[in-house]
Amino acid sequence: MSKPVYAILSDIHANLEGLTAVLEDAHNNGATNFVCLGDIVGYNANPVECVEIVRSLNCATVCGNHDHYCLLDEELKGFHPIAADAIGWTRRLLSDDDKAYLASLNFVERVENFTIVHSTLDTPQMWGYVFENLEAEASFNYQVTELCFFGHTHVPMAFEKSGDVNGGPFTALKLKLGKKYFVNPGSIGQPRDGDPRASYALFSLETKEVELRRVPYDFQTAQSKIRKAGLPEHLANRLALGR
Ligand code: ZN
């Protein structure tokens, strides 16, 4: 039996059209297993459907900041007002059962021989962003597996540590012995690197290769649902721009 191929899903953000297109692409490209790096909800208009789908995948999933804040009735301190609007709206929609599921998610999970986290390994509950080598370095200090996948920035990037840390945008990489990797597959539901296509990654345990995949999807439908729900217009506009 050949080794599994993992589809690495992140920052779905209640975008049903994006998630559906990615799952189809993953199935067509040999994915046998899934993991989810958090932020299943927030921003887009189908939080309930997206939570149901992720739950049905029965896969290792970590908690994102949007998932976390959708559970709490506390004030949304530190959130941009537009993000806070969407979180308030999502809170009213989710069932107690879905909230219990989100509440059960850990910040960090180990899957086979790799790790998954939403933000950083050094302080996962602080929701820091990793864009720079120095930020990746802090996380590497807590990384015990050769490979860790992270999300949160919505920008696909890969960092490699072998003494120094070097990182940047990537489309494919092959793990080399003795090095460590901290890899962001980008966002399914709200890409922010200027490419509006949904972003995710495939990781083959057999070849030790990570492939970034971009999937066109029907963002016009996602946009019209956002407008119909009365969510902020900006959230609809940005889907067309990938910003
Ligand atoms: Zn996010």
PDB file of all heavy atoms in Angstrom, residues 80-102:
ATOM      1  N   HIS A  80     -10.552  43.890  13.842  1.00  0.00           N
ATOM      2  CA  HIS A  80     -11.017  44.931  12.936  1.00  0.00           C
ATOM      3  C   HIS A  80     -12.551  44.908  12.960  1.00  0.00           C
ATOM      4  O   HIS A  80     -13.147  43.830  12.988  1.00  0.00           O
ATOM      5  CB  HIS A  80     -10.491  44.635  11.536  1.00  0.00           C
ATOM      6  CG  HIS A  80     -10.694  45.766  10.580  1.00  0.00           C
ATOM      7  ND1 HIS A  80     -11.903  46.031  10.005  1.00  0.00           N
ATOM      8  CD2 HIS A  80      -9.841  46.702  10.135  1.00  0.00           C
ATOM      9  CE1 HIS A  80     -11.777  47.091   9.218  1.00  0.00           C
ATOM     10  NE2 HIS A  80     -10.541  47.520   9.287  1.00  0.00           N
ATOM     11  N   PRO A  81     -13.210  46.084  12.953  1.00  0.00           N
ATOM     12  CA  PRO A  81     -14.684  46.103  13.032  1.00  0.00           C
ATOM     13  C   PRO A  81     -15.364  45.242  11.973  1.00  0.00           C
ATOM     14  O   PRO A  81     -16.403  44.619  12.243  1.00  0.00           O
ATOM     15  CB  PRO A  81     -15.031  47.577  12.802  1.00  0.00           C
ATOM     16  CG  PRO A  81     -13.782  48.346  13.063  1.00  0.00           C
ATOM     17  CD  PRO A  81     -12.613  47.414  12.950  1.00  0.00           C
ATOM     18  N   ILE A  82     -14.762  45.151  10.779  1.00  0.00           N
ATOM     19  CA  ILE A  82     -15.361  44.348   9.710  1.00  0.00           C
ATOM     20  C   ILE A  82     -15.303  42.856  10.059  1.00  0.00           C
ATOM     21  O   ILE A  82     -16.265  42.107   9.861  1.00  0.00           O
ATOM     22  CB  ILE A  82     -14.671  44.639   8.360  1.00  0.00           C
ATOM     23  CG1 ILE A  82     -15.144  46.011   7.854  1.00  0.00           C
ATOM     24  CG2 ILE A  82     -14.964  43.558   7.338  1.00  0.00           C
ATOM     25  CD1 ILE A  82     -14.501  46.455   6.565  1.00  0.00           C
ATOM     26  N   ALA A  83     -14.187  42.442  10.626  1.00  0.00           N
ATOM     27  CA  ALA A  83     -14.059  41.039  11.053  1.00  0.00           C
ATOM     28  C   ALA A  83     -14.997  40.766  12.229  1.00  0.00           C
ATOM     29  O   ALA A  83     -15.632  39.705  12.300  1.00  0.00           O
ATOM     30  CB  ALA A  83     -12.621  40.729  11.443  1.00  0.00           C
ATOM     31  N   ALA A  84     -15.116  41.725  13.130  1.00  0.00           N
ATOM     32  CA  ALA A  84     -15.984  41.567  14.301  1.00  0.00           C
ATOM     33  C   ALA A  84     -17.445  41.409  13.887  1.00  0.00           C
ATOM     34  O   ALA A  84     -18.176  40.602  14.457  1.00  0.00           O
ATOM     35  CB  ALA A  84     -15.812  42.754  15.247  1.00  0.00           C
ATOM     36  N   ASP A  85     -17.870  42.181  12.882  1.00  0.00           N
ATOM     37  CA  ASP A  85     -19.232  42.057  12.333  1.00  0.00           C
ATOM     38  C   ASP A  85     -19.512  40.623  11.907  1.00  0.00           C
ATOM     39  O   ASP A  85     -20.559  40.055  12.225  1.00  0.00           O
ATOM     40  CB  ASP A  85     -19.359  42.918  11.061  1.00  0.00           C
ATOM     41  CG  ASP A  85     -19.928  44.286  11.366  1.00  0.00           C
ATOM     42  OD1 ASP A  85     -19.971  44.641  12.564  1.00  0.00           O
ATOM     43  OD2 ASP A  85     -20.304  44.983  10.413  1.00  0.00           O
ATOM     44  N   ALA A  86     -18.580  40.059  11.134  1.00  0.00           N
ATOM     45  CA  ALA A  86     -18.769  38.710  10.602  1.00  0.00           C
ATOM     46  C   ALA A  86     -18.761  37.683  11.730  1.00  0.00           C
ATOM     47  O   ALA A  86     -19.475  36.688  11.671  1.00  0.00           O
ATOM     48  CB  ALA A  86     -17.688  38.383   9.569  1.00  0.00           C
ATOM     49  N   ILE A  87     -17.966  37.922  12.757  1.00  0.00           N
ATOM     50  CA  ILE A  87     -17.924  36.982  13.881  1.00  0.00           C
ATOM     51  C   ILE A  87     -19.246  37.008  14.654  1.00  0.00           C
ATOM     52  O   ILE A  87     -19.806  35.961  14.983  1.00  0.00           O
ATOM     53  CB  ILE A  87     -16.724  37.283  14.810  1.00  0.00           C
ATOM     54  CG1 ILE A  87     -15.432  36.854  14.113  1.00  0.00           C
ATOM     55  CG2 ILE A  87     -16.876  36.551  16.145  1.00  0.00           C
ATOM     56  CD1 ILE A  87     -14.172  37.231  14.854  1.00  0.00           C
ATOM     57  N   GLY A  88     -19.779  38.207  14.887  1.00  0.00           N
ATOM     58  CA  GLY A  88     -21.063  38.327  15.571  1.00  0.00           C
ATOM     59  C   GLY A  88     -22.167  37.605  14.804  1.00  0.00           C
ATOM     60  O   GLY A  88     -22.981  36.877  15.381  1.00  0.00           O
ATOM     61  N   TRP A  89     -22.161  37.784  13.497  1.00  0.00           N
ATOM     62  CA  TRP A  89     -23.147  37.156  12.614  1.00  0.00           C
ATOM     63  C   TRP A  89     -23.006  35.639  12.669  1.00  0.00           C
ATOM     64  O   TRP A  89     -24.002  34.905  12.767  1.00  0.00           O
ATOM     65  CB  TRP A  89     -22.917  37.687  11.195  1.00  0.00           C
ATOM     66  CG  TRP A  89     -23.863  37.164  10.159  1.00  0.00           C
ATOM     67  CD1 TRP A  89     -25.115  37.633   9.876  1.00  0.00           C
ATOM     68  CD2 TRP A  89     -23.613  36.072   9.255  1.00  0.00           C
ATOM     69  NE1 TRP A  89     -25.667  36.902   8.848  1.00  0.00           N
ATOM     70  CE2 TRP A  89     -24.761  35.941   8.451  1.00  0.00           C
ATOM     71  CE3 TRP A  89     -22.539  35.202   9.044  1.00  0.00           C
ATOM     72  CZ2 TRP A  89     -24.874  34.985   7.451  1.00  0.00           C
ATOM     73  CZ3 TRP A  89     -22.648  34.244   8.049  1.00  0.00           C
ATOM     74  CH2 TRP A  89     -23.807  34.129   7.278  1.00  0.00           C
ATOM     75  N   THR A  90     -21.761  35.147  12.631  1.00  0.00           N
ATOM     76  CA  THR A  90     -21.499  33.710  12.667  1.00  0.00           C
ATOM     77  C   THR A  90     -21.947  33.095  13.989  1.00  0.00           C
ATOM     78  O   THR A  90     -22.533  32.011  14.018  1.00  0.00           O
ATOM     79  CB  THR A  90     -19.992  33.442  12.447  1.00  0.00           C
ATOM     80  OG1 THR A  90     -19.599  34.031  11.209  1.00  0.00           O
ATOM     81  CG2 THR A  90     -19.693  31.955  12.396  1.00  0.00           C
ATOM     82  N   ARG A  91     -21.687  33.804  15.098  1.00  0.00           N
ATOM     83  CA  ARG A  91     -22.088  33.320  16.423  1.00  0.00           C
ATOM     84  C   ARG A  91     -23.580  33.012  16.492  1.00  0.00           C
ATOM     85  O   ARG A  91     -23.999  32.033  17.095  1.00  0.00           O
ATOM     86  CB  ARG A  91     -21.833  34.422  17.463  1.00  0.00           C
ATOM     87  CG  ARG A  91     -20.483  34.383  18.088  1.00  0.00           C
ATOM     88  CD  ARG A  91     -20.384  35.530  19.073  1.00  0.00           C
ATOM     89  NE  ARG A  91     -19.027  35.701  19.539  1.00  0.00           N
ATOM     90  CZ  ARG A  91     -18.623  36.776  20.210  1.00  0.00           C
ATOM     91  NH1 ARG A  91     -19.458  37.759  20.465  1.00  0.00           N
ATOM     92  NH2 ARG A  91     -17.386  36.864  20.608  1.00  0.00           N
ATOM     93  N   ARG A  92     -24.372  33.869  15.862  1.00  0.00           N
ATOM     94  CA  ARG A  92     -25.829  33.688  15.915  1.00  0.00           C
ATOM     95  C   ARG A  92     -26.282  32.495  15.091  1.00  0.00           C
ATOM     96  O   ARG A  92     -27.365  31.946  15.305  1.00  0.00           O
ATOM     97  CB  ARG A  92     -26.523  34.975  15.443  1.00  0.00           C
ATOM     98  CG  ARG A  92     -26.323  36.158  16.388  1.00  0.00           C
ATOM     99  CD  ARG A  92     -27.208  37.345  16.029  1.00  0.00           C
ATOM    100  NE  ARG A  92     -26.801  38.025  14.810  1.00  0.00           N
ATOM    101  CZ  ARG A  92     -25.837  38.961  14.732  1.00  0.00           C
ATOM    102  NH1 ARG A  92     -25.164  39.307  15.822  1.00  0.00           N
ATOM    103  NH2 ARG A  92     -25.538  39.533  13.597  1.00  0.00           N
ATOM    104  N   LEU A  93     -25.452  32.106  14.098  1.00  0.00           N
ATOM    105  CA  LEU A  93     -25.831  31.043  13.172  1.00  0.00           C
ATOM    106  C   LEU A  93     -25.446  29.633  13.640  1.00  0.00           C
ATOM    107  O   LEU A  93     -26.159  28.661  13.384  1.00  0.00           O
ATOM    108  CB  LEU A  93     -25.130  31.316  11.834  1.00  0.00           C
ATOM    109  CG  LEU A  93     -25.978  31.300  10.581  1.00  0.00           C
ATOM    110  CD1 LEU A  93     -27.059  32.363  10.664  1.00  0.00           C
ATOM    111  CD2 LEU A  93     -25.089  31.556   9.363  1.00  0.00           C
ATOM    112  N   LEU A  94     -24.313  29.522  14.303  1.00  0.00           N
ATOM    113  CA  LEU A  94     -23.792  28.200  14.672  1.00  0.00           C
ATOM    114  C   LEU A  94     -24.648  27.541  15.750  1.00  0.00           C
ATOM    115  O   LEU A  94     -25.074  28.199  16.701  1.00  0.00           O
ATOM    116  CB  LEU A  94     -22.353  28.318  15.178  1.00  0.00           C
ATOM    117  CG  LEU A  94     -21.273  28.684  14.160  1.00  0.00           C
ATOM    118  CD1 LEU A  94     -19.928  28.850  14.860  1.00  0.00           C
ATOM    119  CD2 LEU A  94     -21.167  27.641  13.053  1.00  0.00           C
ATOM    120  N   SER A  95     -24.882  26.243  15.589  1.00  0.00           N
ATOM    121  CA  SER A  95     -25.625  25.494  16.610  1.00  0.00           C
ATOM    122  C   SER A  95     -24.715  25.242  17.817  1.00  0.00           C
ATOM    123  O   SER A  95     -23.492  25.377  17.722  1.00  0.00           O
ATOM    124  CB  SER A  95     -26.074  24.151  16.036  1.00  0.00           C
ATOM    125  OG  SER A  95     -24.930  23.336  15.814  1.00  0.00           O
ATOM    126  N   ASP A  96     -25.315  24.865  18.925  1.00  0.00           N
ATOM    127  CA  ASP A  96     -24.523  24.538  20.112  1.00  0.00           C
ATOM    128  C   ASP A  96     -23.588  23.362  19.827  1.00  0.00           C
ATOM    129  O   ASP A  96     -22.471  23.309  20.330  1.00  0.00           O
ATOM    130  CB  ASP A  96     -25.439  24.188  21.291  1.00  0.00           C
ATOM    131  CG  ASP A  96     -26.134  25.436  21.838  1.00  0.00           C
ATOM    132  OD1 ASP A  96     -25.696  26.558  21.493  1.00  0.00           O
ATOM    133  OD2 ASP A  96     -27.114  25.289  22.593  1.00  0.00           O
ATOM    134  N   ASP A  97     -24.072  22.445  19.002  1.00  0.00           N
ATOM    135  CA  ASP A  97     -23.269  21.277  18.671  1.00  0.00           C
ATOM    136  C   ASP A  97     -22.017  21.678  17.870  1.00  0.00           C
ATOM    137  O   ASP A  97     -20.921  21.197  18.126  1.00  0.00           O
ATOM    138  CB  ASP A  97     -24.133  20.300  17.870  1.00  0.00           C
ATOM    139  CG  ASP A  97     -23.460  18.953  17.717  1.00  0.00           C
ATOM    140  OD1 ASP A  97     -23.008  18.404  18.748  1.00  0.00           O
ATOM    141  OD2 ASP A  97     -23.337  18.468  16.576  1.00  0.00           O
ATOM    142  N   ASP A  98     -22.211  22.585  16.887  1.00  0.00           N
ATOM    143  CA  ASP A  98     -21.057  23.058  16.108  1.00  0.00           C
ATOM    144  C   ASP A  98     -20.095  23.847  16.994  1.00  0.00           C
ATOM    145  O   ASP A  98     -18.877  23.748  16.846  1.00  0.00           O
ATOM    146  CB  ASP A  98     -21.524  23.939  14.939  1.00  0.00           C
ATOM    147  CG  ASP A  98     -22.161  23.106  13.837  1.00  0.00           C
ATOM    148  OD1 ASP A  98     -21.870  21.892  13.776  1.00  0.00           O
ATOM    149  OD2 ASP A  98     -22.945  23.655  13.042  1.00  0.00           O
ATOM    150  N   LYS A  99     -20.644  24.633  17.914  1.00  0.00           N
ATOM    151  CA  LYS A  99     -19.779  25.381  18.832  1.00  0.00           C
ATOM    152  C   LYS A  99     -18.994  24.434  19.737  1.00  0.00           C
ATOM    153  O   LYS A  99     -17.826  24.661  20.020  1.00  0.00           O
ATOM    154  CB  LYS A  99     -20.603  26.356  19.682  1.00  0.00           C
ATOM    155  CG  LYS A  99     -21.065  27.576  18.893  1.00  0.00           C
ATOM    156  CD  LYS A  99     -21.826  28.541  19.795  1.00  0.00           C
ATOM    157  CE  LYS A  99     -22.325  29.736  18.994  1.00  0.00           C
ATOM    158  NZ  LYS A  99     -23.236  30.584  19.755  1.00  0.00           N
ATOM    159  N   ALA A 100     -19.655  23.353  20.170  1.00  0.00           N
ATOM    160  CA  ALA A 100     -18.968  22.372  21.009  1.00  0.00           C
ATOM    161  C   ALA A 100     -17.826  21.716  20.229  1.00  0.00           C
ATOM    162  O   ALA A 100     -16.742  21.469  20.770  1.00  0.00           O
ATOM    163  CB  ALA A 100     -19.948  21.312  21.504  1.00  0.00           C
ATOM    164  N   TYR A 101     -18.077  21.480  18.942  1.00  0.00           N
ATOM    165  CA  TYR A 101     -17.017  20.913  18.099  1.00  0.00           C
ATOM    166  C   TYR A 101     -15.834  21.881  18.002  1.00  0.00           C
ATOM    167  O   TYR A 101     -14.678  21.494  18.227  1.00  0.00           O
ATOM    168  CB  TYR A 101     -17.557  20.588  16.699  1.00  0.00           C
ATOM    169  CG  TYR A 101     -16.478  20.429  15.666  1.00  0.00           C
ATOM    170  CD1 TYR A 101     -15.681  19.275  15.629  1.00  0.00           C
ATOM    171  CD2 TYR A 101     -16.224  21.439  14.734  1.00  0.00           C
ATOM    172  CE1 TYR A 101     -14.666  19.141  14.700  1.00  0.00           C
ATOM    173  CE2 TYR A 101     -15.210  21.301  13.799  1.00  0.00           C
ATOM    174  CZ  TYR A 101     -14.438  20.163  13.789  1.00  0.00           C
ATOM    175  OH  TYR A 101     -13.420  20.032  12.868  1.00  0.00           O
ATOM    176  N   LEU A 102     -16.122  23.153  17.712  1.00  0.00           N
ATOM    177  CA  LEU A 102     -15.039  24.141  17.597  1.00  0.00           C
ATOM    178  C   LEU A 102     -14.297  24.282  18.930  1.00  0.00           C
ATOM    179  O   LEU A 102     -13.078  24.445  18.961  1.00  0.00           O
ATOM    180  CB  LEU A 102     -15.584  25.500  17.142  1.00  0.00           C
ATOM    181  CG  LEU A 102     -16.154  25.553  15.715  1.00  0.00           C
ATOM    182  CD1 LEU A 102     -16.737  26.932  15.425  1.00  0.00           C
ATOM    183  CD2 LEU A 102     -15.103  25.202  14.671  1.00  0.00           C
TER     184      LEU A 102
END
